[in-house]
Amino acid sequence: MLPQKQRENTSCTFLGPNLPDVWVLSENTSPHTLTTGSSQSADDGHSATILEGTSIATEIKLKVAEEISRMKSEIGKFPKLVMVLVGDRRDSHRLIDVKLEACEKVGIEIVVSKLPENCTQKELLDVVSSFNDDKNVHGIVVQLPLPQHIDEEIIMNFVSPEKDVDGFHPLNIGNLAIRGRKPFFIPGASKACIELLLNHGVEIKGKRVAIIGRSKIVGLPTSLLLQRHHATVSLLHAYTKNPEQITSEADIVVTYVGIANIVRGNWIKKGAVVIDMGYNEIKDPNNEEFQSTGDVCFEEAVKVASAITPVPGGIGPIIISMLLSNTLDSAKRAFGMF
Amino acid sequence: MLPQKQRENTSCTFLGPNLPDVWVLSENTSPHTLTTGSSQSADDGHSATILEGTSIATEIKLKVAEEISRMKSEIGKFPKLVMVLVGDRRDSHRLIDVKLEACEKVGIEIVVSKLPENCTQKELLDVVSSFNDDKNVHGIVVQLPLPQHIDEEIIMNFVSPEKDVDGFHPLNIGNLAIRGRKPFFIPGASKACIELLLNHGVEIKGKRVAIIGRSKIVGLPTSLLLQRHHATVSLLHAYTKNPEQITSEADIVVTYVGIANIVRGNWIKKGAVVIDMGYNEIKDPNNEEFQSTGDVCFEEAVKVASAITPVPGGIGPIIISMLLSNTLDSAKRAFGMF
């Protein structure tokens, strides 16, 4: 049994309470009960709570805008984000447009630094270097993917960890992995996942979490962040045999795989919480139009889970708001406002 | 099914093959079979293979000694390790003596830099700084724990990642976490675990691994290293409810908890491999003498597992040899011998 004091401390503050790493022999052998559990069966018309993200995103953006407005009036300064774009990929342009609009709405100055597809690695490093040195720049995002002739690792490692608002620098990932350490930034998708869970009152401490997909931008950092929140995390990937055996024992299932409907209803434990971070476009055979969908077969999972994110409108909108929040945090640190 | 080429690539090179992160829909729904599985029951007198570490450690040390000898004769240089010791703790002295002896045997020059218990943080930082700058020093180990008035995090982060032969720097942990990246060093305990498994022909890819204990020196880096080797890892800790439910489904169980006999026989799946990294001293009620033991109840587990490490004589000896190997690697890098 945990000491009384620890057992009472069930509220999760952001980044998780740094509780002592003490292994206490447990005499509790009672079966696991879910906080968010449902006693209804899949056949009784049960439908999960929909974990809608748009209103949370709006709330975060409002808060960020308020803080920036106060910052401007108090010290006459504001956050500045630089997006570095190499080449002319349409999908990159689309993503940058979304970020541009979001930044402008909350009062973050955003500059898009464009380099031609055939620029050299040295030229790109020089550009990043100038932003690293520029005290007026608080966040640097190098839009991925980069052209083949440029070494992505060298570029990403070169971004100052103190301006790495995407949180992908190995120093930030390392400090996220080590409990008690404080990374400058945590990747937006992982922060969005935690925010959604906490916002809907889902307890994380002591829960079993299955994360499907171990990408460095979503699965890996999300596993590290949920571990900090004292979840017991299993990280599943392409080489996992019978992944449904693990997911069907998890209280929380997080997916970022990139295959529509890979996670079926029978992968989910009754009453579990499902966070679908996937985004896939599939063709409707009836009208040949594309539909966006996640990794989870929503129609099946919604009958089993106690709560589930929709795609679109779930985790997606929160991710962008986390980029804004990270940029604001960076500016506050630079202005000594923490 | 995995592509033929990938399926054939079952040999694990050190740090693991960096296979593409492609999720392939599997049609293989056959029950999981263990490479090292045993069909014998716990009652039939079955006894696991003992994963003895001493001979592996001797082999590694021999190889390190050979390489250093060649280095000396070819370029007249050799690796140098500095141990920084603050205060006068008996256990720290004992550990340093073990490392001293091991280094001397293989031809690594070792210097113990002693500071008084009441030295200031600034004094300690200055000492570390001088070794960071010294081109003749290839490895720096700051012996933990440090006195209360010194901020361990600041000191550990100050050790140059390129001389961090313990592998605890967040930059090295981050690069261990991110597949495809190459940390300068991997913590000795984690390397020892992999070495023992590979040496005994235990397949890691696609296996389910339960790691009990998430310390930053053993559990965390071992989970990251085994993930790089394509295991499906669950990281268990003090807040995990019913840990035996997870361990009893694992093909490989790794423990570093610090409580004697916490892992019982019924926590282990028949035919699983057990790596006991724990080291505990318990008093024999008959003669009041202390006996060293691991975290696993060996007498029970040996009847269920297909292979198990003894304590002492299992993982322990290999860990020291990994420190030597890391120091040699660092010197080779410094001398441009890679």
Side-chain angles (χ1 to χ4, degrees):
Chain A
M1 293 283 282
L2 292 174
Q4 185 67 21
K5 210 171 152 194
Q6 283 182 24
R7 267 185 293 150
E8 280 173 358
N9 185 3
T10 51
S11 71
C12 277
T13 57
F14 196 66
L15 265 185
N18 289 317
L19 295 171
D21 188 16
V22 183
W23 192 282
V24 186
L25 276 166
S26 170
E27 289 167 14
N28 174 16
T29 50
S30 62
H32 186 84
T33 53
L34 280 172
T35 317
T36 50
S38 159
S39 58
Q40 292 168 290
S41 83
D43 308 309
D44 62 4
H46 160 78
S47 188
T49 303
I50 305 302
L51 300 175
E52 189 271 329
T54 315
S55 62
I56 298 175
T58 306
E59 218 175 285
I60 295 168
K61 284 178 189 167
L62 264 176
K63 239 188 252 176
V64 170
E66 268 172 30
E67 283 209 53
I68 292 174
S69 167
R70 201 165 48 242
M71 188 182 266
K72 277 184 185 166
S73 66
E74 280 176 13
I75 60 167
K77 292 178 176 178
F78 46 85
K80 180 173 174 177
L81 174 67
V82 173
M83 307 273 319
V84 181
L85 176 64
V86 181
D88 214 32
R89 287 177 64 107
R90 238 184 68 191
D91 53 350
S92 293
H93 271 287
R94 199 171 50 85
L95 271 169
I96 284 191
D97 284 346
V98 173
K99 291 172 186 172
L100 262 172
E101 193 193 334
C103 281
E104 279 166 7
K105 271 194 184 161
V106 297
I108 292 175
E109 185 188 348
I110 182 163
V111 173
V112 182
S113 173
K114 290 183 188 170
L115 283 95
E117 176 83 19
N118 63 354
C119 77
T120 67
Q121 186 162 300
K122 171 77 171 56
E123 283 166 341
L124 179 54
L125 285 172
D126 286 345
V127 166
V128 174
S129 175
S130 69
F131 295 132
N132 279 343
D133 295 340
D134 185 344
K135 280 191 180 170
N136 294 318
V137 170
H138 309 105
I140 303 170
V141 169
V142 179
Q143 188 63 49
L144 300 179
L146 292 168
Q148 286 287 323
H149 69 282
I150 289 175
D151 187 328
E152 187 182 302
E153 180 178 345
I154 290 176
I155 304 298
M156 300 311 278
N157 287 1
F158 194 68
V159 172
S160 164
E162 294 186 53
K163 298 187 179 184
D164 167 44
V165 284
D166 268 341
F168 299 152
H169 193 287
L171 191 71
N172 284 322
I173 293 289
N175 278 321
L176 175 61
I178 305 170
R179 265 171 324 128
R181 302 293 175 89
K182 205 168 173 349
F184 292 111
F185 305 100
I186 297 170
S190 307
K191 278 179 84 169
C193 176
I194 285 280
E195 184 64 32
L196 195 71
L197 292 171
L198 297 182
N199 197 289
H200 285 89
V202 178
E203 206 188 344
I204 301 169
K205 189 166 80 176
K207 297 298 174 195
R208 281 175 69 174
V209 176
I211 298 182
I212 317 176
R214 53 171 168 169
S215 74
K216 57 190 169 206
I217 58 170
V218 179
L220 170 70
T222 305
S223 76
L224 300 173
L225 185 54
L226 287 168
Q227 270 165 16
R228 280 183 88 119
H229 281 265
H230 307 299
T232 302
V233 179
S234 303
L235 190 53
L236 283 58
H237 47 76
Y239 295 104
T240 301
K241 289 169 191 156
N242 309 324
E244 66 281 8
Q245 279 182 2
I246 301 173
T247 57
S248 61
E249 289 173 354
D251 304 312
I252 300 168
V253 174
V254 179
T255 73
Y256 183 72
V257 176
I259 297 177
N261 300 322
I262 190 177
V263 178
R264 306 293 301 266
N266 62 359
W267 287 39
I268 309 296
K269 181 168 77 167
K270 199 165 68 178
V273 175
V274 178
I275 309 286
D276 189 349
M277 314 255 256
Y279 187 86
N280 312 290
E281 294 195 326
I282 50 170
K283 208 182 259 185
D284 187 323
N286 298 323
N287 55 16
E288 293 287 299
E289 279 182 14
F290 281 94
Q291 279 195 319
S292 52
T293 176
D295 298 331
V296 179
C297 182
F298 187 86
E299 295 70 26
E300 291 178 7
V302 76
K303 294 180 190 155
V304 191
S306 65
I308 186 170
T309 52
V311 176
I315 206 85
I318 315 179
I319 295 176
I320 293 283
S321 71
M322 287 303 175
L323 175 68
L324 308 178
S325 158
N326 277 353
T327 307
L328 170 62
D329 284 350
S330 185
K332 282 164 76 178
R333 191 158 38 226
F335 301 148
M337 293 177 77
F338 268 134
Chain B
M1 293 283 282
L2 292 172
Q4 185 67 21
K5 210 171 151 193
Q6 284 182 23
R7 265 186 293 152
E8 278 171 2
N9 184 4
T10 52
S11 71
C12 277
T13 57
F14 196 66
L15 266 186
N18 288 316
L19 296 172
D21 187 17
V22 183
W23 192 283
V24 186
L25 275 166
S26 168
E27 287 166 16
N28 174 15
T29 50
S30 63
H32 185 83
T33 53
L34 281 174
T35 316
T36 51
S38 158
S39 60
Q40 293 168 290
S41 84
D43 307 309
D44 61 4
H46 159 78
S47 189
T49 303
I50 306 300
L51 300 175
E52 190 268 329
T54 315
S55 62
I56 297 175
T58 307
E59 218 174 284
I60 295 169
K61 283 177 189 166
L62 265 176
K63 237 186 254 175
V64 170
E66 270 172 30
E67 282 210 52
I68 292 174
S69 169
R70 200 165 49 244
M71 189 182 267
K72 276 182 186 166
S73 67
E74 281 177 11
I75 59 167
K77 291 179 177 178
F78 46 85
K80 181 172 175 178
L81 174 68
V82 174
M83 307 271 319
V84 181
L85 175 64
V86 181
D88 213 32
R89 287 177 64 109
R90 238 184 69 191
D91 53 350
S92 292
H93 270 286
R94 200 171 50 83
L95 271 170
I96 283 191
D97 284 346
V98 173
K99 291 172 187 173
L100 263 172
E101 194 193 332
C103 281
E104 279 166 8
K105 272 194 182 158
V106 297
I108 291 175
E109 185 188 349
I110 182 163
V111 172
V112 182
S113 173
K114 288 182 187 171
L115 283 97
E117 175 83 18
N118 62 355
C119 77
T120 65
Q121 185 161 300
K122 170 77 171 53
E123 283 165 342
L124 179 54
L125 286 172
D126 286 346
V127 166
V128 174
S129 174
S130 69
F131 295 130
N132 279 344
D133 295 341
D134 186 344
K135 279 189 180 172
N136 294 317
V137 170
H138 309 106
I140 303 170
V141 169
V142 179
Q143 189 64 50
L144 300 179
L146 292 169
Q148 286 286 323
H149 68 282
I150 289 174
D151 187 328
E152 188 183 302
E153 179 179 343
I154 290 175
I155 305 298
M156 303 309 280
N157 287 1
F158 194 68
V159 172
S160 163
E162 294 186 52
K163 299 188 179 184
D164 167 45
V165 284
D166 269 341
F168 299 153
H169 193 288
L171 191 71
N172 284 322
I173 294 289
N175 278 321
L176 175 61
I178 304 170
R179 267 173 322 130
R181 302 293 174 89
K182 206 169 172 349
F184 292 111
F185 305 101
I186 297 169
S190 308
K191 277 178 86 169
C193 176
I194 285 280
E195 184 64 33
L196 195 73
L197 291 171
L198 297 183
N199 199 288
H200 285 90
V202 178
E203 206 189 344
I204 301 170
K205 190 167 81 177
K207 297 298 174 195
R208 279 174 71 172
V209 176
I211 297 181
I212 318 177
R214 54 171 167 169
S215 75
K216 56 190 168 204
I217 59 172
V218 179
L220 170 71
T222 305
S223 75
L224 300 174
L225 185 54
L226 287 168
Q227 268 164 17
R228 280 182 88 119
H229 281 263
H230 308 298
T232 301
V233 179
S234 303
L235 190 53
L236 282 57
H237 48 75
Y239 296 103
T240 301
K241 289 170 191 156
N242 308 323
E244 67 280 8
Q245 279 182 2
I246 301 172
T247 58
S248 61
E249 290 172 356
D251 305 312
I252 301 169
V253 175
V254 180
T255 73
Y256 183 72
V257 176
I259 297 177
N261 300 323
I262 191 177
V263 178
R264 306 294 300 268
N266 62 1
W267 287 38
I268 310 295
K269 182 169 77 168
K270 200 164 68 177
V273 175
V274 178
I275 309 287
D276 189 349
M277 315 257 253
Y279 186 86
N280 313 290
E281 294 196 325
I282 49 170
K283 210 181 256 183
D284 187 324
N286 298 322
N287 56 15
E288 292 288 299
E289 278 181 16
F290 281 93
Q291 279 196 318
S292 51
T293 178
D295 298 331
V296 178
C297 181
F298 187 86
E299 297 71 26
E300 291 179 5
V302 77
K303 295 180 190 154
V304 191
S306 66
I308 185 170
T309 53
V311 177
I315 205 87
I318 315 178
I319 296 177
I320 294 283
S321 71
M322 287 303 175
L323 175 67
L324 309 177
S325 159
N326 277 353
T327 308
L328 170 62
D329 284 351
S330 185
K332 283 164 75 177
R333 191 159 37 225
F335 301 148
M337 293 176 78
F338 269 135

